[in-house]
Amino acid sequence: MTESTAEGFATRAIHAGQAFDPTTGAVVPPIYQSSTFVQDGVGGLRGGYEYGRSGNPTRTSLETVLAALEGGDRAFAFASGLAAEDALLRSALRPGDHLVLGNDVYGGTHRLIQRIHGDWGIRNTAVDLTDLDAVRTALATDGTKLLWIETPSNPLMKISDIAALAELGYAAGALVVVDNTFASPALQQPLALGADVVVHSTTKYLGGHSDVIGGALVLREGELAEKVGFQQFAAGAIAAPMESWLTVRGIKTLDVRLRRHSENAQAIAEALVGHPAVENVYYPGLPTHPGHELAARQMSAFGGMLSVALKGGPDAARRFVESTAVFQLAESLGGVESLIGYPSEMTHASVRGTELEVPANVVRLSVGIEDVRDLLADVEQALERRG
Ligand SMILES: *Cc1c(COP(=O)(O)O)cnc(C)c1O
């Protein structure tokens, strides 16, 4: 791994963990669709593989490339982003512990922490991560063991300062976790900025083709990595061979995809600013975005996600998402195809009435890598029809 981190990002994305198959010379490592592995006499394992829950070569190839891309020592691939999060929380926390999280984290993360781990005695405080004093105060709560960061945030694209937050977390003795799903390692490297653990929903940009659900944790060697490995093995929410293989395949084009996603999103954000139907555009690539300078420092491009608040309220927002043609109305994000969503009734329906509630006139766009003029024309015609 040390050897591969010396190579450039795009090279690592294509080659780390992807050595050709020694028995056939197949350039692409196979999908080892096997639940178990023959032993040459009791305990005589070939390559360390024994039973598919404890390890599978296709999963290893995914975990190896993920660690290389995030600059970590170890990666663990799970059946979903939330399964990865759950394994991390159970590895790092004990009943009675307290954690601090952003007040605009992914709704499913909030639900997991509040409703599942809350029931098992984990306390939490949600704060505005751009308010460092508020974070410092929350971290001073008795029993704080973990700080959960997500940037850019969903759906309002707030940018928080990973390096500054990592210092606060470190000073408070808290494990610093960054959900890097929205930026992907192509644009943002939390471990290099001081974080301890990176979390991914690989369902999104890493997979990149809307054909797989998966999650991952990346961290340095050490006690926590051992605990996470044990959780993965003992609780069993592993990434399956086919899913691992699809994710590896997606990762090979991560670098070029994220560049194109970012260019297309920038063009759409700029076209939406000042449009008579638009109240506000939330995109860190706009100089008017409050997190623009920080994002320019912390990320190598601004990514493919943007949100827009419409002047006509909830009705206009709903009409808009139901009027696009290239942008398809669906949950999720990060695929090559453009998607549009209405957070207050879709992705964020579960947080209505909480402090995580999203304004009902906000629409979220996952800008794909189609021809930008088709995307611009689609957004334009849908805005005309918003009513
Ligand atoms: C989708 C998502 C998750 C959850 O991942 P699943 O793969 O759906 O379980 C976590 N965090 C962020 C930022 C996400 O977008």
Side-chain angles (χ1 to χ4, degrees):
M1 213 139 306
T2 9
E3 168 195 337
S4 61
T5 44
E7 292 172 333
F9 183 87
T11 307
R12 277 178 272 150
I14 292 167
H15 293 291
Q18 309 306 312
F20 67 85
D21 176 38
T23 54
T24 64
V27 167
V28 175
I31 306 167
Y32 286 91
Q33 194 69 45
S34 186
S35 62
T36 191
F37 300 84
V38 169
Q39 306 190 8
D40 298 316
V42 177
L45 307 181
R46 299 188 177 191
Y49 296 101
E50 179 176 24
Y51 179 62
R53 175 159 35 71
S54 53
N56 174 290
T58 316
R59 193 170 92 222
T60 303
S61 82
L62 170 60
E63 294 176 334
T64 304
V65 69
L66 286 170
L69 293 187
E70 288 287 1
D73 300 318
R74 302 282 296 278
F76 298 91
F78 291 87
S80 71
L82 285 172
E85 296 184 13
D86 181 51
L88 174 63
L89 293 166
R90 282 187 288 109
S91 301
L93 302 174
R94 287 292 168 271
D97 287 348
H98 174 254
L99 72 88
V100 177
L101 76 165
N103 63 4
D104 52 2
V105 297
Y106 176 70
T109 300
H110 183 259
R111 182 176 55 208
L112 174 69
I113 287 172
Q114 182 73 24
R115 297 191 37 202
I116 305 285
H117 289 272
D119 274 358
W120 291 96
I122 305 295
R123 297 167 294 134
N124 75 77
T125 305
V127 290
D128 178 353
L129 294 178
T130 63
D131 180 349
L132 295 181
D133 288 331
V135 175
R136 198 179 286 111
T137 304
L139 284 169
T141 307
D142 205 33
T144 301
K145 294 285 166 55
L146 192 149
L147 171 60
W148 192 285
I149 300 166
E150 187 181 320
T151 178
S153 77
N154 177 18
L156 298 182
M157 310 304 144
K158 261 185 2 202
I159 305 295
S160 36
D161 189 335
I162 295 174
L165 289 165
E167 259 181 56
L168 292 184
Y170 183 77
L175 188 76
V176 177
V177 178
V178 175
D179 183 335
N180 202 26
T181 299
F182 265 42
S184 93
L187 305 186
Q188 177 170 280
Q189 305 261 318
L191 297 180
L193 294 167
D196 297 303
V197 185
V198 169
V199 173
H200 276 289
S201 168
T202 56
T203 311
K204 316 294 169 48
Y205 287 105
L206 287 162
H209 296 73
S210 305
D211 53 9
V212 63
I213 299 274
L217 301 173
V218 186
L219 63 174
R220 296 187 192 86
E221 205 61 77
E223 196 188 336
L224 183 64
E226 294 308 313
K227 285 185 178 171
V228 166
F230 181 71
Q231 283 283 345
Q232 186 195 41
F233 161 68
I238 50 163
M242 183 70 188
E243 273 65 14
S244 297
W245 189 88
L246 283 168
T247 308
V248 163
R249 180 185 163 110
I251 285 172
K252 290 177 185 171
T253 54
L254 184 70
D255 194 58
V256 285
R257 281 191 284 111
L258 261 295
R259 281 168 212 259
R260 177 69 165 257
H261 281 296
S262 300
E263 282 169 23
N264 284 359
Q266 183 78 33
I268 291 170
E270 286 172 8
L272 287 170
V273 169
H275 189 287
V278 169
E279 182 183 283
N280 203 355
V281 182
Y282 304 89
Y283 185 66
L286 295 173
T288 48
H289 186 284
H292 177 67
E293 276 173 33
L294 174 58
R297 248 187 295 136
Q298 180 168 279
M299 302 170 72
S300 60
F302 301 105
M305 296 301 298
L306 67 93
S307 288
V308 50
L310 297 185
K311 278 187 182 151
D315 291 344
R318 187 184 271 272
R319 269 291 266 285
F320 179 49
V321 301
E322 290 175 351
S323 301
T324 53
V326 183
F327 281 87
Q328 300 173 95
L329 178 61
E331 308 248 353
S332 201
L333 62 112
V336 291
E337 61 288 286
S338 292
L339 298 180
I340 192 163
Y342 184 39
S344 69
E345 293 205 16
M346 294 171 65
T347 47
H348 288 64
S350 69
V351 293
R352 256 191 317 218
T354 75
E355 60 203 307
L356 302 169
E357 178 161 353
V358 177
N361 65 335
V362 167
V363 167
R364 189 187 79 180
L365 284 76
S366 172
V367 179
I369 61 171
E370 300 93 337
D371 289 289
V372 72
R373 73 191 150 88
D374 295 328
L375 300 180
L376 287 166
D378 190 35
V379 165
E380 189 60 45
Q381 67 76 26
L383 282 175
E384 307 272 285
R385 297 205 289 164
R386 82 210 173 274

